[in-house]
């Protein structure tokens, strides 16, 4: 046996060291979580995922590693995920978001062959879903009447509100909208995949009023950029002629302005998401089908669209009567 040939004295190897060597040898072909994450994030960048999405996954998974102190992919278990979730001192809604991110990354580990079974699929967090209401047309018109459109900021915000309400585009897409995305001859927005969340091209119509206001805003933008010597072709810019979106956030100057208006004028439902939902509900009221509305919103899942529509149970019952 090997134990009988062990050297003694200064050349001796302790049982603890032998045991440690055995453990290290066992892990020699195992992939570390950090290396796995590096590969996955590289794959996501090549696939065209937004950097802010990758940064979010990275933040959450690093938090997972800090709490669980895991090193290797094969060490991740159902228990370690529950330990992570249990250690978070956040609302259940936030825990659900973190869990979804953990699952998304682990699924990519699975796709790369580093994990054989999707053991995390059974982990659930139940929360009571709060229905988010859309802004009413009355609230929108009230806001537009109250805003003093004599200044650049107020005029820009008015055009932003109408653009979101009449096209349903996201606040981040609004911040990245360029002049070449507007076809004034054909009266539509041509939104390429680079500014869309789902990276798919979308064409949305605009009416005469919005078209005229967008033209006026572009004229004002040219004066602002000329004064501050800034160069960009964004439709919605700051008062200093700069672009609004930040790389690490979907928030921008207009989003902050909407929050300010909501508090100042006592309008509880003035925000970008509420305007987007108002657009969806307005289409539904005019007879548009749910699949068409889903396409207009750029949703990949029609179930998300139905949540946006927030159909009242009595309203559903009345509509169903037409098919009896």
């Amino acid at each position: 046996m090997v134990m009988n040939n062990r050297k003694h004295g200064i050349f001796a190897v302790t049982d603890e060291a032998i045991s440690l060597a055995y453990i290290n040898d066992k892990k020699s072909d195992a992939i570390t979580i950090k290396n796995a994450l590096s590969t996955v994030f590289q794959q996501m960048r090549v696939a065209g995922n937004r950097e802010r999405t990758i940064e979010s996954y990275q933040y959450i998974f690093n938090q997972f590693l800090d709490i669980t102190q895991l090193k290797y992919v094969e060490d991740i278990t159902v228990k370690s995920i529950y330990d992570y979730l249990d250690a978070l001192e956040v609302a259940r809604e936030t825990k659900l978001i973190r869990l979804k991110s953990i699952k998304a990354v682990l699924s990519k580990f699975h796709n790369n062959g580093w994990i054989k079974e999707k053991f995390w699929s059974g982990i659930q967090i139940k929360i009571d879903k709060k229905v988010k209401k859309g802004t009413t047309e009355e609230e929108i018109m009230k806001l537009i009447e109250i805003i003093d459109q004599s200044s650049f900021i107020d005029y820009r915000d008015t055009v932003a509100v109408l653009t979101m309400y009449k096209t349903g585009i996201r606040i981040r897409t609004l911040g990245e909208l360029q002049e070449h995305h507007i076809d004034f001859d054909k009266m539509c927005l041509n939104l390429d995949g680079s500014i869309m969340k789902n990276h798919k091209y979308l064409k949305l119509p605009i009416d005469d009023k919005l078209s005229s206001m967008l033209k006026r805003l572009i004229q004002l933008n040219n004066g602002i950029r000329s004064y501050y010597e800034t160069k960009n072709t964004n439709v919605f810019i700051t008062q200093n002629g700069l672009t609004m979106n930040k790389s690490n956030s979907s928030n921008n100057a207009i989003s902050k302005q909407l929050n300010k208006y909501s508090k100042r004028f006592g309008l509880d439902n003035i925000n970008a998401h509420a305007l987007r939902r108002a657009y969806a509900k307005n289409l539904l009221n005019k007879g548009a089908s749910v699949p068409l509305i889903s396409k207009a919103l750029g949703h990949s899942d029609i179930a998300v669209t139905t949540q946006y529509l927030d159909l009242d149970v009595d309203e559903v019952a009345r509509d169903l009567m037409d098919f009896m």
Side-chain angles (χ1 to χ4, degrees):
M1 293 180 62
V2 176
M3 296 294 291
N4 293 334
N5 296 326
R6 184 184 301 175
K7 294 182 179 297
H8 298 281
I10 62 172
F11 299 104
V13 179
T14 64
D15 291 339
E16 181 182 359
I18 294 174
S19 175
L20 182 60
Y22 172 75
I23 293 174
N24 288 338
D25 181 65
K26 181 181 178 181
K27 295 288 188 181
S28 62
D29 59 344
I31 182 170
T32 65
I33 296 174
K34 289 187 177 181
N35 286 341
L37 289 174
S38 178
T39 299
V40 164
F41 294 151
Q42 182 184 35
Q43 292 170 342
M44 291 177 67
R45 290 187 180 94
V46 172
N49 289 92
R50 297 185 185 278
E51 192 62 33
R52 58 189 296 265
T53 301
I54 298 174
E55 289 175 356
S56 177
Y57 283 169
Q58 190 172 33
Y59 168 79
I60 292 173
F61 223 91
N62 283 340
Q63 184 185 56
F64 171 72
L65 295 183
D66 289 340
I67 291 175
T68 62
Q69 293 296 302
L70 297 179
K71 183 177 181 180
Y72 297 96
V73 172
E74 64 181 38
D75 292 334
I76 302 174
T77 63
V78 170
K79 183 180 182 303
S80 63
I81 298 175
Y82 274 117
D83 287 344
Y84 163 68
L85 295 172
D86 188 53
L88 295 177
E89 296 181 357
V90 295
R92 295 180 68 83
E93 290 82 2
T94 304
K95 285 189 179 184
L96 180 59
I97 294 173
R98 304 284 171 87
L99 175 60
K100 287 181 177 179
S101 297
I102 293 293
K103 286 184 173 183
V105 174
L106 291 180
S107 292
K108 296 181 185 301
F109 286 4
H110 173 76
N111 294 338
N112 280 287
W114 303 324
I115 299 178
K116 293 182 179 180
E117 302 293 335
K118 292 187 175 182
F119 56 81
W120 55 87
S121 59
I123 303 176
Q124 303 293 335
I125 294 179
K126 294 183 179 181
I127 61 173
D128 295 327
K129 292 186 178 180
K130 297 179 180 178
V131 177
K132 297 180 180 179
K133 301 289 184 180
T135 309
T136 64
E137 186 172 1
E138 290 75 17
E139 289 175 315
I140 295 171
M141 293 303 105
K142 181 179 179 181
L143 175 62
I144 291 175
E145 289 176 3
I146 294 175
I147 296 178
D148 179 10
Q149 299 179 31
S150 61
S151 70
F152 169 74
I153 293 297
D154 291 335
Y155 184 80
R156 179 205 66 188
D157 294 345
T158 301
V159 180
V161 167
L162 287 176
T163 301
M164 287 187 284
Y165 175 59
K166 295 194 174 191
T167 66
I169 62 175
R170 294 178 173 88
I171 187 71
R172 187 166 187 84
T173 301
L174 184 87
E176 296 180 0
L177 191 69
Q178 306 285 320
E179 292 177 11
H180 72 267
H181 290 132
I182 307 175
D183 188 334
F184 288 109
D185 293 329
K186 295 183 179 180
M187 300 287 286
C188 64
L189 302 182
N190 293 314
L191 308 174
D192 56 62
S194 65
I195 65 171
M196 297 296 291
K197 184 177 180 180
N198 63 0
H199 301 282
K200 293 182 179 179
Y201 172 78
L202 185 62
K203 190 173 184 177
L204 297 169
I206 58 176
D207 60 21
D208 291 331
K209 181 178 180 180
L210 181 56
S211 175
S212 297
M213 295 187 75
L214 285 168
K215 287 180 181 178
R216 174 58 179 157
L217 179 62
I218 290 174
Q219 292 177 344
L220 293 173
N221 289 344
N222 291 335
I224 294 290
R225 284 190 287 255
S226 176
Y227 181 82
Y228 287 102
E229 298 182 346
T230 56
K231 293 182 179 180
N232 61 68
T233 59
N234 288 60
V235 178
F236 296 93
I237 60 176
T238 69
Q239 59 185 348
N240 297 323
L242 303 174
T243 59
M244 292 185 296
N245 284 0
K246 298 178 180 179
S247 61
N248 62 345
S249 174
S250 61
N251 199 10
N252 61 31
I254 290 176
S255 180
K256 295 176 181 178
Q257 284 290 104
L258 292 178
N259 183 55
K260 182 183 73 175
Y261 294 137
S262 177
K263 293 179 179 178
R264 179 187 296 176
F265 304 129
L267 300 172
D268 296 330
N269 212 25
I270 295 296
N271 58 73
H273 284 102
L275 289 168
R276 185 165 156 82
R277 285 180 167 81
Y279 167 76
K281 194 64 180 292
N282 189 39
L283 286 179
L284 183 71
N285 293 338
K286 291 180 178 180
S289 66
V290 175
L292 177 61
I293 297 172
S294 183
K295 186 72 175 178
L297 291 171
H299 286 161
S300 57
D301 188 347
I302 200 169
V304 178
T305 308
T306 59
Q307 293 178 12
Y308 264 67
L309 295 175
D310 179 30
L311 298 179
D312 180 76
V313 290
D314 292 329
E315 184 179 358
V316 172
R318 288 194 301 270
D319 291 344
L320 287 176
M321 286 296 293
D322 297 335
F323 298 94
M324 296 296 287

